[in-house]
Amino acid sequence: VRTPRRSNQRTRIADELARLDTFISAQGLHFRLRLAGEQISLSTVYRTLHLLADLGRLDCVREPGGERLYRHRPGSQHRHYLTCRHCGLTLVVDATVIEEWAEQLRIVAGFAHLEHAVELSGVCGECGSETPEQSLK
Amino acid sequence: VRTPRRSNQRTRIADELARLDTFISAQGLHFRLRLAGEQISLSTVYRTLHLLADLGRLDCVREPGGERLYRHRPGSQHRHYLTCRHCGLTLVVDATVIEEWAEQLRIVAGFAHLEHAVELSGVCGECGSETPEQSLK
DNA sequence: GTATTTGCAAAGTGTTTGCAGAATA
DNA sequence: TATTCTGCAAACACTTTGCAAATAC
């Protein structure tokens, strides 16, 4: 494992993610950067996202369609989110319960290197109170 | 919502899944069926898996690569699994804690229609006790 | 007889990769 | 200068879809 080099592209990508502070896809991010006038290729966005994810600087979730969404992770701990399927609103939730439960489970099952992914989605208060027509899409 | 019709293909697919009782991909299942001499197209496998999933007769997880794996669900409740990344061994785990935690969360956050996905993976006792060389793969 | 289901091949999606040139250390 | 990084276009893996023929009800 070697230290990655700095480059304009990587800096721009990391900055944009930190500024956004919401989940966004590689393609979405690429689009935003282009709008902002940056000349960064989609491949570079993908590669940089991998890099940042490996460094633990991003959280990642997966859309029903299979698309991966990334979000800047402020601290060093991974976090869990609750997302509104309607408007995309995401809340950070306290998942201490899960962490402890998973550790218990790991011991009982005799596993090592346990990883967990928890994805929560629903319809938030705002969206739920809209007219039925709207929720039919 | 209309009642689906029965067909040889659908029966074979559902049967094979029930008999297997492990996670398998659409393509993997298609391959098995062909080996068994069935003449079923891949599209039909995909379509039937969707159908069964909609009917709540399957559990579904997603591989890191993006591939979806399906498994017959014996009861009516969805289940959570702990998978060994090495050998594929999967254990059904008791996730009552999670269900309760999710419901609490739902109420506090004022959400509706909450869904959750919990995926646990690690290295099982068997695989963990192997020689380091093997685990490097 | 009518509506649903199938198989095929083509298209679609998000992502990865090989390579030559550009950029970093 | 020696690596690493970038952009491009092509390749990839998995999944979905349009349509005509076959099948279930």
Side-chain angles (χ1 to χ4, degrees), chain B residues 64-134:
Chain B
E67 196 173 30
R68 265 186 280 254
L69 303 185
Y70 299 89
R71 176 176 178 162
H72 173 243
R73 182 193 296 172
S76 53
Q77 290 289 308
H78 78 165
R79 309 191 297 178
H80 296 288
Y81 303 87
L82 168 55
T83 311
C84 173
R85 283 194 292 272
H86 247 79
C87 64
L89 168 75
T90 59
L91 306 173
V92 177
V93 305
D94 172 45
T96 318
V97 187
I98 307 299
E99 311 293 337
E100 289 168 357
W101 171 76
E103 177 59 11
Q104 275 297 324
L105 206 61
R106 191 191 67 71
I107 295 169
V108 173
F111 270 54
H113 312 297
L114 192 68
E115 291 178 8
H116 63 268
V118 177
E119 289 181 20
L120 298 157
S121 70
V123 180
C124 75
E126 283 284 300
C127 295
S129 52
E130 285 171 6
T131 70
E133 287 86 323
Q134 279 177 291

Side-chain angles (χ1 to χ4, degrees), chain B residues 2-137:
Chain B
R2 210 168 285 91
T3 347
R5 291 185 179 171
R6 322 178 98 300
S7 78
N8 286 332
Q9 291 88 327
R10 288 187 178 167
T11 311
R12 300 285 154 69
I13 292 171
D15 285 359
E16 186 68 16
L17 270 169
R19 171 151 5 98
L20 269 176
D21 199 39
T22 345
F23 279 101
I24 191 168
S25 67
Q27 317 213 52
L29 187 53
H30 178 242
F31 187 70
R32 280 187 64 98
L33 290 164
R34 299 230 118 192
L35 276 190
E38 305 289 348
Q39 290 292 3
I40 300 180
S41 78
L42 184 53
S43 330
T44 299
V45 174
Y46 275 112
R47 288 192 269 230
T48 304
L49 287 173
H50 275 177
L51 186 65
L52 294 174
D54 288 348
L55 295 175
R57 294 181 44 195
L58 299 181
D59 283 316
C60 174
V61 299
R62 208 184 271 280
E63 285 281 85
E67 196 173 30
R68 265 186 280 254
L69 303 185
Y70 299 89
R71 176 176 178 162
H72 173 243
R73 182 193 296 172
S76 53
Q77 290 289 308
H78 78 165
R79 309 191 297 178
H80 296 288
Y81 303 87
L82 168 55
T83 311
C84 173
R85 283 194 292 272
H86 247 79
C87 64
L89 168 75
T90 59
L91 306 173
V92 177
V93 305
D94 172 45
T96 318
V97 187
I98 307 299
E99 311 293 337
E100 289 168 357
W101 171 76
E103 177 59 11
Q104 275 297 324
L105 206 61
R106 191 191 67 71
I107 295 169
V108 173
F111 270 54
H113 312 297
L114 192 68
E115 291 178 8
H116 63 268
V118 177
E119 289 181 20
L120 298 157
S121 70
V123 180
C124 75
E126 283 284 300
C127 295
S129 52
E130 285 171 6
T131 70
E133 287 86 323
Q134 279 177 291
S135 38
L136 280 175
K137 162 53 198 323

Side-chain angles (χ1 to χ4, degrees), chain A residues 8 14 28 51 54 57 73-74 82 85 87-88 132 136:
Chain A
N8 287 332
L51 186 64
D54 288 348
R57 293 181 45 194
R73 181 193 297 173
L82 168 55
R85 284 194 291 272
C87 64
L136 280 176

Side-chain angles (χ1 to χ4, degrees), chain A residues 54-107:
Chain A
D54 288 348
L55 295 174
R57 293 181 45 194
L58 300 181
D59 281 317
C60 175
V61 299
R62 208 185 270 281
E63 284 281 85
E67 196 173 30
R68 267 186 278 254
L69 304 184
Y70 298 89
R71 175 175 179 163
H72 173 242
R73 181 193 297 173
S76 53
Q77 290 288 308
H78 77 167
R79 309 190 297 177
H80 296 289
Y81 303 87
L82 168 55
T83 310
C84 173
R85 284 194 291 272
H86 248 81
C87 64
L89 168 74
T90 59
L91 305 173
V92 177
V93 306
D94 173 44
T96 318
V97 187
I98 306 299
E99 311 292 338
E100 290 166 357
W101 171 76
E103 176 59 10
Q104 274 298 323
L105 206 62
R106 190 190 67 71
I107 295 169

Side-chain angles (χ1 to χ4, degrees), chain A residues 25-37 42 45:
Chain A
S25 68
Q27 316 213 50
L29 187 55
H30 178 240
F31 187 70
R32 279 188 64 99
L33 290 164
R34 299 229 120 194
L35 276 191
L42 184 54
V45 174

Side-chain angles (χ1 to χ4, degrees), chain A residues 2 5 7 10 39 44 47:
Chain A
R2 209 169 284 91
R5 292 186 178 170
S7 77
R10 289 187 178 168
Q39 290 292 3
T44 298
R47 288 193 268 231

